Amino acid sequence: MDNITHSLVGLGVGELLQRSLPAEASEARQRTRHRLLLTACAAASNFPDLDLFLTKLMAPPLGYLLQHRGHTHTLLFLLPQALLLLAVLWLLWPNARALLRESRVARFGLLGAMTAGFLLHLGMDFMNSYGVHPFYPFNADWYFGDMIFIVEPVFWVAFGVPLALAIPWRPVRWLMVAVLAVALLYFTLHGYLGWASYAGLLLLGGAIAALRLLHLRSRRALALALVLCLGFIGVQKSASSLARERVAAALHKQDGAAQLLDVALTAFPAQPLCWSFAAIERNEARDSYRVRRGMLSLAPAWLPPAQCPASMLDPAPPRTVQAGVLLHSEWNGSLSLLRRLRESDCQLDAWLRFARIPAVDSGHASDLRFTSTPRGNFTTMDVASGAPRACPAHIPRWGQPRSDLLTRP
């Protein structure tokens, strides 16, 4: 997820935890604990992304692909990160240090805030199609949630509204609410959100704001925000499973001889009905594999695929293969060439530790999950079809998502 979402959810959960604990003995200690828990939870919710500094260990694109969402996004390496964050807070914050010495409740709250923040980061990163490998080194496999867009405004509204209304200075409070509303309008006007989603987000924000204003010192608005986010995740999970079934059925109808290996799904922001997909298939008898990209609407009679948010659509002209399912592009490759290049090019072998939907020929390798990102396909790498290249150092031993494609069944 983006770091705005990580921060808002971390701050919201930290505030909810603060309001759920018994008060400290004095107002000064209560204020210190409040700031400490929010800071700790928000910092822990972003801390694993410090691995971006490690991307310089390898030449692009391998540095970003293999080092980001790397070791800091594993359960084992959360412990040293937590100890580092705790040391920073202890050494640089005298009032917090004094509070932690004296208050058992504050120590418990800090432990809860940091644990929640770190686990939230891994859980939220799991929910999109980029994936995580949280159980490394015991299990090097990638796990992909395929249910939430990487920038999700439902989370922004659910936690952003009660947090903004908790700001003690009224002009700043309403300025933050206005900034959020204008940001949503901007994304709608630029085709990232539909107008129905925009209206739904405004209603959601209004309901949470009303609850917050009616119960100023209560945790009810934040608890409602958490419940709504969990409910939204559940809806998206169910919609993702249904979308995968429909894509599989449509592709099988087109070519029943091909073996479907995977369907990578990308959700649309705040819209459970619209999905884009990249599916990879194998035909061992023909020595070929194929990637097909497209999109679908789960309710085409009510919301045709072409009416999903325009900026999220693939620019390639589509063709309909089934009611609600459109295909935008198709790429075909050779299994024997892929396997031969992987054996002869250690950089490609390293790249395949990231690629979930690989398209590899004698010139380039690209992961076709990311064909239509605003900055282009950041995964594309030149392939050495001639003399072998030097092997990169510091290659993490993540599992290869398409190991099922790289070896004969």
Side-chain angles (χ1 to χ4, degrees), residues 63-138:
Y64 185 84
L65 302 183
L66 296 180
Q67 300 296 344
H68 181 45
R69 295 208 185 178
H71 292 93
T72 60
H73 288 67
T74 64
L75 291 170
L76 181 64
F77 280 83
L78 291 187
L79 179 58
Q81 293 179 82
L83 292 174
L84 177 58
L85 176 56
L86 179 60
V88 170
L89 293 172
W90 181 269
L91 293 173
L92 301 183
W93 199 338
N95 287 346
R97 185 165 63 243
L99 173 66
L100 292 171
R101 283 196 181 109
E102 300 170 3
S103 172
R104 180 179 179 181
V105 173
R107 292 193 295 271
F108 174 81
L110 179 60
L111 175 63
M114 292 176 59
T115 301
F118 281 113
L119 293 179
L120 279 169
H121 189 105
L122 265 63
M124 294 176 72
D125 278 358
F126 157 74
M127 290 190 293
N128 53 59
S129 62
Y130 198 104
V132 290
H133 33 76
F135 305 114
Y136 181 86
F138 311 106

Side-chain angles (χ1 to χ4, degrees), residues 51-252:
D51 63 6
L52 289 169
F53 291 104
L54 302 178
T55 60
K56 304 300 181 183
L57 292 175
M58 305 172 72
L62 289 178
Y64 185 84
L65 302 183
L66 296 180
Q67 300 296 344
H68 181 45
R69 295 208 185 178
H71 292 93
T72 60
H73 288 67
T74 64
L75 291 170
L76 181 64
F77 280 83
L78 291 187
L79 179 58
Q81 293 179 82
L83 292 174
L84 177 58
L85 176 56
L86 179 60
V88 170
L89 293 172
W90 181 269
L91 293 173
L92 301 183
W93 199 338
N95 287 346
R97 185 165 63 243
L99 173 66
L100 292 171
R101 283 196 181 109
E102 300 170 3
S103 172
R104 180 179 179 181
V105 173
R107 292 193 295 271
F108 174 81
L110 179 60
L111 175 63
M114 292 176 59
T115 301
F118 281 113
L119 293 179
L120 279 169
H121 189 105
L122 265 63
M124 294 176 72
D125 278 358
F126 157 74
M127 290 190 293
N128 53 59
S129 62
Y130 198 104
V132 290
H133 33 76
F135 305 114
Y136 181 86
F138 311 106
N139 179 347
D141 292 345
W142 287 82
Y143 292 86
F144 308 97
D146 287 5
M147 54 180 139
I148 303 291
F149 188 63
I150 198 167
V151 180
E152 181 45 70
V154 168
F155 296 151
W156 289 15
V157 172
F159 283 105
V161 169
L163 287 171
L165 294 178
I167 297 173
W169 302 283
R170 180 174 294 182
V172 178
R173 178 192 313 165
W174 293 109
L175 175 62
M176 291 296 100
V177 172
V179 166
L180 179 58
V182 170
L184 295 176
L185 180 60
Y186 173 87
F187 290 126
T188 304
L189 292 173
H190 285 77
Y192 293 99
L193 281 172
W195 285 105
S197 296
Y198 178 68
L201 290 168
L202 291 182
L203 287 174
L204 172 64
I208 294 175
L211 185 61
R212 174 70 180 83
L213 293 172
L214 288 172
H215 304 277
L216 290 178
R217 298 189 177 277
S218 170
R219 58 185 178 182
R220 294 180 187 178
L222 289 164
L224 175 62
L226 181 60
V227 169
L228 289 172
C229 286
L230 292 174
F232 176 71
I233 292 169
V235 169
Q236 290 292 112
K237 176 58 178 175
S238 298
S240 174
S241 298
L242 180 58
R244 181 170 281 103
E245 292 174 5
R246 292 195 181 177
V247 170
L251 297 183
H252 181 75

